[in-house]
Amino acid sequence: MSKELIGKVALVTGGSRGIGAAIARTLADDGADVAISYSASADKAKAVVNDLLEKGVRAHAFKADQADAKAVEALVKSVVERFGRLDILVNNAGVFVTGQVHDRANNLAELDRLFAVNVGGVAAAVRAAAPLMGEGGRIISIGSVVGDATPWPGASDYSASKGAVAAYTRGWARDLGPKGITVNNVQPGPIDTDMNPAANGEFANLQNTKTALGRYGKPEEVAAAVAFLASPSAAYITGATLNVDGGFNA
């Protein structure tokens, strides 16, 4: 490993499983001390922290509801209090809810929470973290390829939430550029996780056929892109969206 991130502190929201856990481990492999947040999976969060500690870095898990702006602000402050600084913010926490616009059976409370987590939680984290970051800070959000296109009915709300993240990324890059902080967006395609398993029958096969590579991605492949954007090598990349989707949107 390059260990380019020694001396840096990273916060990965939703880091107890799936893509978030892979990102946390990869950043630790590169030398960063890593804080993760979780909402319910305390045992999984503890297991990830133990993995990180075995890599020789500092690590801690914080419980926080990403839909609660005040809780997110407290999370960021707690990370800085415990680790002494914050250099890398990875906005990974997210939820997935479907529902067609004309369907009166939609759970509107779930849809409201989708925006509260996927958009409001990201904005709250960036607003709390940006004033505490110095030059060379990195903000990386995990969007989705459906932020660019909506490939099936019922995904419009989720697509809109991820499209908002991409738009915020461009605007925040302008806002924070004078501070030397980069802001970028990584958009995964179908990735083999608990939320979207590669063994999910017909739906998984449909997603495979839409990729140029004909397969699901691995969480580690998304984590590699995040680690690059967090590294000194990506110092001149900001306001960008990087698709890690196997050609899903090609």
Side-chain angles (χ1 to χ4, degrees), residues 106-114:
N106 284 338
N107 185 330
L108 298 183
E110 284 189 352
L111 294 177
D112 286 344
R113 180 168 176 81
L114 180 146

Side-chain angles (χ1 to χ4, degrees), residues 21-92:
I23 291 169
R25 293 186 178 105
T26 300
L27 294 177
D29 283 337
D30 285 350
D33 297 322
V34 182
I36 64 170
S37 73
Y38 68 97
S39 61
S41 306
D43 290 342
K44 291 182 178 180
K46 183 178 180 181
V48 172
V49 167
N50 288 338
D51 288 346
L52 302 178
L53 292 172
E54 289 179 1
K55 297 177 184 294
V57 303
R58 294 184 296 162
H60 190 75
F62 298 85
K63 184 174 182 178
D65 182 358
Q66 203 69 18
D68 183 339
K70 290 184 178 179
V72 174
E73 182 178 0
L75 165 67
V76 172
K77 290 181 178 179
S78 295
V79 171
V80 175
E81 288 173 0
R82 185 177 186 93
F83 290 89
R85 59 188 295 158
L86 179 62
D87 305 283
I88 302 162
L89 170 63
V90 182
N91 295 302
N92 169 75

